[in-house]
Amino acid sequence: DDHVYAEYLRNDIDSLHEQNLFHLGEDRMLTTLLLHFFPGMFLSYVPEAQCFTIVPHSMRILLSQRRRWINSTYHNLLELTKVKTMCGVCCCSMKTVVYLDLVACMILPASTVYAVYLIFLVAAGKTQFSLLLLVLYGMIIGVQLVVFILRSRYDFIFWFVYFTIVGVPVFYFILPLYAFWHMDDFSWGETRKVAKMKDTFDTPKAQEAKPLAIEEDYDSTSSSDDDDSQDYSRRDSGGSRPSRRSSGGGR
């Protein structure tokens, strides 16, 4: 559709909101534009699709990746609130899910700090978990454990505990704060960088450039026999070769 192309290929992007949309989350923005300009159609999940990627192997690359993902997700959720053709009615609609995701994205660091503080109060004996909170966290953690057991992936239980202890502070507190603090950074950072090649095809090697220079010396032949013999000696030092003159025409 021409409207989608015209909106997607804009070159007058100058606001903080639009730069996060088009420079960092162009794939999400394209999906949002399709929902906006094609209200009678819907997007579906294709389970047969396969994707291969290279995961971040250092904290610096992880920070760069998550900065782009978190900021582009936040601003794209703001754009999704303008789409009027989402399925569902009232509270049971996709727009309600979008608003919940938007609020959760903003308060994620603060909610993590509150959860740690609440656990500290319970451990110190100053308060107790309410029944509703225990049921909620029991369902969240219990469903995960049941899935691991049904699929016989007992190793996932270890990684679940590891993520709860190590991953939650990083992904729910450090990374969102870092992303929000660098919301005006529209670069791709350390991701999608390819290691520099040691040898390039544009610059020939020294031993490959030498015959070219010798060939030029050979082409610039002289009229004297002494110059001809010098040219031959330069082309092959230390090796004998047939004479240029005919063997029958001695001088």
Side-chain angles (χ1 to χ4, degrees), residues 100-169:
L100 291 175
D101 287 342
L102 186 61
V103 174
C105 185
M106 290 187 296
I107 68 172
L108 191 58
S111 61
T112 304
V113 173
Y114 174 75
V116 173
Y117 176 69
L118 182 60
I119 294 175
F120 172 77
L121 292 180
V122 173
K126 297 181 179 181
T127 186
Q128 294 181 355
F129 284 118
S130 63
L131 181 60
L132 179 61
L133 192 62
L134 289 175
V135 172
L136 179 62
Y137 278 100
M139 292 177 59
I140 295 175
I141 298 176
V143 169
Q144 300 279 349
L145 297 178
V146 169
V147 172
F148 298 157
I149 295 174
L150 292 178
R151 299 189 61 183
S152 300
R153 297 305 303 266
Y154 302 105
D155 56 325
F156 281 8
I157 299 177
F158 167 77
W159 291 115
F160 178 78
V161 177
Y162 180 84
F163 177 79
T164 303
I165 299 174
V166 180
V168 168

Side-chain angles (χ1 to χ4, degrees), residues 3-242:
H3 296 88
V4 176
Y5 282 113
E7 190 68 22
Y8 188 65
L9 300 178
R10 290 172 50 194
N11 56 5
D12 57 343
I13 301 170
D14 53 0
S15 65
L16 178 68
H17 173 62
E18 291 181 338
Q19 290 189 56
N20 276 279
L21 287 175
F22 289 95
H23 292 170
L24 301 183
E26 73 286 348
D27 50 350
R28 290 188 177 93
M29 188 56 191
L30 179 59
T31 305
T32 303
L33 291 175
L34 292 174
L35 291 174
H36 178 73
F37 287 102
F38 294 94
M41 304 183 70
F42 62 91
L43 300 174
S44 62
Y45 172 70
V46 181
E48 294 81 9
Q50 296 183 0
C51 178
F52 301 92
T53 186
I54 300 176
V55 298
H57 60 278
S58 66
M59 188 62 181
R60 182 177 61 178
I61 299 179
L62 180 63
L63 286 172
S64 178
Q65 181 196 68
R66 294 295 166 164
R67 170 184 57 80
R68 294 186 296 104
W69 287 10
I70 293 174
N71 290 338
S72 61
T73 300
Y74 174 76
H75 287 273
N76 188 72
L77 288 173
L78 290 175
E79 286 296 313
L80 283 175
T81 58
K82 304 177 184 178
V83 179
K84 301 179 181 180
T85 57
M86 291 187 179
C87 61
V89 179
C90 193
C91 295
C92 301
S93 66
M94 284 302 301
K95 183 165 289 189
T96 303
V97 176
V98 170
Y99 279 113
L100 291 175
D101 287 342
L102 186 61
V103 174
C105 185
M106 290 187 296
I107 68 172
L108 191 58
S111 61
T112 304
V113 173
Y114 174 75
V116 173
Y117 176 69
L118 182 60
I119 294 175
F120 172 77
L121 292 180
V122 173
K126 297 181 179 181
T127 186
Q128 294 181 355
F129 284 118
S130 63
L131 181 60
L132 179 61
L133 192 62
L134 289 175
V135 172
L136 179 62
Y137 278 100
M139 292 177 59
I140 295 175
I141 298 176
V143 169
Q144 300 279 349
L145 297 178
V146 169
V147 172
F148 298 157
I149 295 174
L150 292 178
R151 299 189 61 183
S152 300
R153 297 305 303 266
Y154 302 105
D155 56 325
F156 281 8
I157 299 177
F158 167 77
W159 291 115
F160 178 78
V161 177
Y162 180 84
F163 177 79
T164 303
I165 299 174
V166 180
V168 168
V170 174
F171 285 88
Y172 292 177
F173 183 75
I174 297 177
L175 294 178
L177 285 183
Y178 177 84
F180 293 153
W181 186 263
H182 295 84
M183 190 172 285
D184 57 345
D185 184 2
F186 311 115
S187 65
W188 282 73
E190 298 295 328
T191 55
R192 296 192 180 182
K193 281 189 176 181
V194 181
K196 184 179 180 181
M197 296 177 60
K198 295 181 179 180
D199 298 329
T200 61
F201 297 101
D202 297 332
T203 304
K205 297 180 180 179
Q207 58 269 26
E208 295 176 354
K210 187 176 180 180
L212 297 177
I214 296 173
E215 191 66 23
E216 292 176 0
D217 294 337
Y218 175 71
D219 291 338
S220 58
T221 56
S222 175
S223 58
S224 64
D225 293 338
D226 295 334
D227 293 335
D228 290 338
S229 61
Q230 292 177 2
D231 290 338
Y232 272 102
S233 63
R234 277 200 299 260
R235 293 190 64 188
D236 190 8
S237 60
S240 61
R241 62 175 53 76

